[in-house]
Amino acid sequence: PSRGQGLVGPALALGVGMAATMLVADYWPQLLAQRAPDGGYDTSPAGVAGWLAVMASAGLCAETIFRGLLVGMLSVLVPGRVRVGRFDIPFSGLVVALLFGLAHYGSFRVDPLWMAVAQQLYAFVFGLVYVWLMERSRSLVAPLIAHGVGDALEVAAVMALQVAWAVH
């Protein structure tokens, strides 16, 4: 496979897993009560198309800035690697994963504390995975796919549950 294409399948699978993780972490009380999560999404055809397009493309902006720019820049300034078993990323990737988690701080203003903390934790872990994908594929394609698929599928699941459980 050419550069960036070797991890497309794993990136898709990771994106699906990330979507499921975010859905459960963000909405577990509603899911347990079999109430539709109130994501505040417009479930009209135009709303669905718009939200899914925005969420699928969110990874493009985030991955370009966090993994493409910051990891590359900080790797020059802060050399070294972090290894845990077979998981191995540049130290700059760890720093950027922390920054990626902190970039989601706005959830502390609008979400319950448990949800905001969960979002910080999974954003940090996902940030580590995105760096790992970037390094293994030597491209931003795999992290872009994982990020876009994860965000879009979580929103799609929330919208589907809103429609299925008749909450608008």
Side-chain angles (χ1 to χ4, degrees), residues 5 22 34 40 43 51 53 55 64 69 72 76 86 93 95 102 111 130 133 139 162:
Q5 293 181 349
M22 292 186 292
Q34 294 186 345
T43 56
W51 272 109
M55 297 314 291
T64 301
L69 180 66
V76 173
R86 295 182 63 177
V95 172
L102 291 173
D111 294 324
Y130 298 146
L133 283 169
S139 167
Q162 285 175 327

Side-chain angles (χ1 to χ4, degrees), residues 41-157:
Y41 300 114
D42 175 5
T43 56
S44 70
V48 169
W51 272 109
L52 294 181
V54 166
M55 297 314 291
S57 64
L60 176 62
C61 296
E63 295 311 309
T64 301
I65 293 168
F66 284 96
R67 262 53 68 183
L69 180 66
L70 291 177
V71 171
M73 184 177 66
L74 286 176
S75 290
V76 173
L77 300 173
V78 185
R81 300 192 65 80
V82 176
R83 289 180 181 87
V84 177
R86 295 182 63 177
F87 186 78
D88 174 29
I89 61 170
F91 183 74
S92 61
L94 176 67
V95 172
V96 171
L98 284 169
L99 293 173
F100 185 65
L102 291 173
H104 293 81
Y105 74 93
S107 59
F108 283 103
R109 290 186 310 227
V110 295
D111 294 324
L113 180 61
W114 59 266
M115 183 188 284
V117 169
Q119 289 172 357
Q120 297 297 299
L121 292 173
Y122 70 62
F124 169 69
V125 171
F126 293 174
L128 294 173
V129 173
Y130 298 146
V131 170
W132 180 84
L133 283 169
M134 180 185 75
E135 276 224 316
R136 294 306 171 273
S137 66
R138 298 181 353 185
S139 167
L140 286 178
V141 172
L144 283 167
I145 290 170
H147 197 152
V149 166
D151 287 353
L153 285 181
E154 182 199 18
V155 170

